[in-house]
């Protein structure tokens, strides 16, 4: 498995290093999209002295969000180089699967693109003895809307138009609503092929939060991990959706920006009502995430994002990926490694790894609180 991981990380780093903003982690996951991990030079972005192993040992299992796969790959590479004898094994699947694994007690932490729901928090109390599952925001980034329309290199859409594309009401690329947003662009009559995630996905839920907030009349579905709308075609994981968009003329789909960058997929600029449409990038996502407020209580640091922002240069379709841990009642054999690894990911050095590679770090004010909570885990 170690040799396989090494080969997989080498095989795909170019995409992760040119990305402008998504997240990811891997063990031997199917959504692998990175290569050397670290910095653009191919060297680890943090020296061993930046990482405190603090009694970490053995193997730490984790799983969940495929959206954070690329980010965690970079962290794991640096962390394991600094802490010999420690193995962090993250299975990239989906937020829903990660939460299930966490609440079954089979992983030390889970990755999720959306905060725990009340029923999941209640269930977590069975494995977090004397405590409960909490949300620690760790990485931010844009959800890109990728498209593949022959002859069209630049495309602007707004929330109502996106909603009507994904709910199967707009069926052709030369629809008047799309034409109105793209004056001077020759749009073909090609049928729209909309792709969505087949499995429960935090990325799906975050796209739904954006559409529900920014286009409530067009998008009448409540945000959920399971795709709610009729029509469209399903694909597995962000990698699967991206592959379909890349291959199919007339396709549109959603995924973290690294998948678009890795496969040279064109992405939609979003008309938010600001002076100019906003392109998906780490910088534009950071502007939106900077306005996030902590909605959780106590040690829980779940965030509330403003999906209706009209701030200049702020890209509104964003997600924040959480690491889900027990505030109390962590397993004694894995607690030192959980705290050591997460302390690195939340450190200045760990967040700089994200900045150096096009991701959107968590705002400093929030990240300071994340570190405090990590140090209090028991």
């Amino acid at each position: 498995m170690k040799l396989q991981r090494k080969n997989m990380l080498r095989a795909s780093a170019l995409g992760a290093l040119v990305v402008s903003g998504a997240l990811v982690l891997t063990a031997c996951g199917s959504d692998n999209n990175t290569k050397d991990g670290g910095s653009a030079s191919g060297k680890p972005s943090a020296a061993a002295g930046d990482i405190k192993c603090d009694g970490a040992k053995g193997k730490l299992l984790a799983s969940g969000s495929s959206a954070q796969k690329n980010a965690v790959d970079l962290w794991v590479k640096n962390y394991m180089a600094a802490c010999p004898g420690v193995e962090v094994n993250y299975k990239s699947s989906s937020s829903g699967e990660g939460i299930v694994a966490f609440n079954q007690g089979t992983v030390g932490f889970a990755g999720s693109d959306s905060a725990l729901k009340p029923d999941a928090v209640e269930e977590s109390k069975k494995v977090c003895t004397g405590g409960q599952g909490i949300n620690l925001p760790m990485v931010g980034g844009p959800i890109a809307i990728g498209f593949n329309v022959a002859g069209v290199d630049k495309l602007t859409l707004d929330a109502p138009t996106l909603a009507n594309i994904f709910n199967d009401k707009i069926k052709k690329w030369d629809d008047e609503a799309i034409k109105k947003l793209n004056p001077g662009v020759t749009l073909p009559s090609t049928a729209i092929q909309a792709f969505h995630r087949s499995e429960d996905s935090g990325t799906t839920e975050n796209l739904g939060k954006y559409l529900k907030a920014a286009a409530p009349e067009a998008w009448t579905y409540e945000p959920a991990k399971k795709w709610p709308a009729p029509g469209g075609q399903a694909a597995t994981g962000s990698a699967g959706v991206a592959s379909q968009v890349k291959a199919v003329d007339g396709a549109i789909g959603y995924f973290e920006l690294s998948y678009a960058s890795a496969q040279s997929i064109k992405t939609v600029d979003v008309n938010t009502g600001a002076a100019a449409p906003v392109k998906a990038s780490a910088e534009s996502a950071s502007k939106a995430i900077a306005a996030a407020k902590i909605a959780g209580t106590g040690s829980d640091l779940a965030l509330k994002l403003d999906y209706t922002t009209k701030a200049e240069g702020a890209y509104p379709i964003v997600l924040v990926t959480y690491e889900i841990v027990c505030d109390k009642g962590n397993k004694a054999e894995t607690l030192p490694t959980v705290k050591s690894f997460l302390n690195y990911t939340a450190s200045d050095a760990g967040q700089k790894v994200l900045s150096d590679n096009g991701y959107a770090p968590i705002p400093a004010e929030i990240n300071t609180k994340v570190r405090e909570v990590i140090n209090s885990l028991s």
Side-chain angles (χ1 to χ4, degrees), residues 263-285:
Q263 298 190 49
S264 299
I265 297 171
K266 295 182 286 289
T267 62
V268 168
D269 295 346
V270 177
N271 183 336
T272 64
V278 185
K279 186 175 295 296
S281 71
E283 181 181 7
S284 63

Side-chain angles (χ1 to χ4, degrees), residues 53-359:
C53 301
D54 288 336
K57 60 183 178 180
K59 180 183 290 188
L60 173 62
L61 299 178
S63 69
S65 165
S66 65
Q68 72 168 11
K69 180 166 74 78
N70 287 339
V72 184
D73 272 345
L74 302 175
W75 286 329
V76 168
K77 177 182 176 67
N78 290 339
Y79 182 80
M80 290 176 59
C83 298
V86 180
E87 181 180 354
V88 179
N89 188 324
Y90 181 97
K91 180 183 178 182
S92 171
S93 50
S94 68
S95 298
E97 291 179 44
I99 291 170
V100 169
F102 178 77
N103 281 339
Q104 290 177 340
T106 60
V107 295
F109 71 88
S112 177
D113 309 339
S114 56
L116 290 172
K117 297 291 191 297
D119 58 340
V121 172
E122 191 63 31
E123 188 176 353
S124 74
K125 295 177 181 179
K126 298 175 184 178
V127 296
C128 301
T129 307
Q132 65 181 42
I134 57 172
N135 305 282
L136 300 179
M138 203 63 72
V139 188
I143 300 173
I145 307 297
F147 70 95
N148 177 5
V149 183
V152 179
D153 294 322
K154 185 175 177 60
L155 185 68
T156 296
L157 297 173
D158 59 12
T161 307
L162 278 168
N164 285 325
I165 286 172
F166 281 114
N167 68 16
D168 205 32
K169 291 183 179 178
I170 293 178
K171 299 178 182 293
K172 300 282 188 179
W173 280 109
D174 61 352
D175 187 275
E176 288 302 319
I178 302 177
K179 283 184 176 181
K180 185 176 179 180
L181 291 164
N182 294 274
V185 176
T186 301
L187 294 163
S189 60
T190 307
I192 293 174
Q193 306 286 335
F195 288 90
H196 58 262
R197 294 279 289 272
S198 61
E199 77 282 20
D200 285 3
S201 161
T203 310
T204 294
E205 184 172 13
N206 279 278
L207 175 65
K209 288 177 180 178
Y210 163 72
L211 294 174
K212 182 68 173 178
E217 293 183 3
W219 194 259
T220 58
Y221 312 99
E222 290 302 317
K225 290 184 174 66
K226 184 177 180 61
W227 182 255
Q233 302 176 58
T236 303
S238 292
V241 175
S243 294
Q244 290 296 322
V245 172
K246 177 72 173 180
V248 177
D249 183 26
I252 188 170
Y254 59 94
F255 31 78
E256 297 69 43
L257 188 56
S258 59
Y259 294 95
S261 300
Q263 298 190 49
S264 299
I265 297 171
K266 295 182 286 289
T267 62
V268 168
D269 295 346
V270 177
N271 183 336
T272 64
V278 185
K279 186 175 295 296
S281 71
E283 181 181 7
S284 63
S286 292
K287 288 183 179 180
I289 294 170
K293 305 296 183 184
I294 294 176
T297 58
S299 297
D300 185 79
L301 300 179
L303 301 180
K304 181 176 179 59
L305 298 167
D306 181 7
Y307 295 100
T308 62
T309 179
K310 295 181 180 179
E312 297 299 328
Y315 184 81
I317 317 176
V318 294
L319 60 74
V320 169
T321 293
Y322 299 93
E323 309 311 339
I324 294 171
V325 295
C326 295
D327 58 355
K328 299 177 182 178
N330 289 277
K331 294 180 180 178
E333 61 270 25
T334 57
L335 178 60
T337 309
V338 168
K339 293 178 71 171
S340 171
F341 179 68
L342 294 184
N343 262 319
Y344 164 55
T345 65
S347 69
D348 289 341
Q351 291 291 297
K352 188 174 186 297
V353 167
L354 304 182
S355 299
D356 287 347
N357 291 282
Y359 304 121

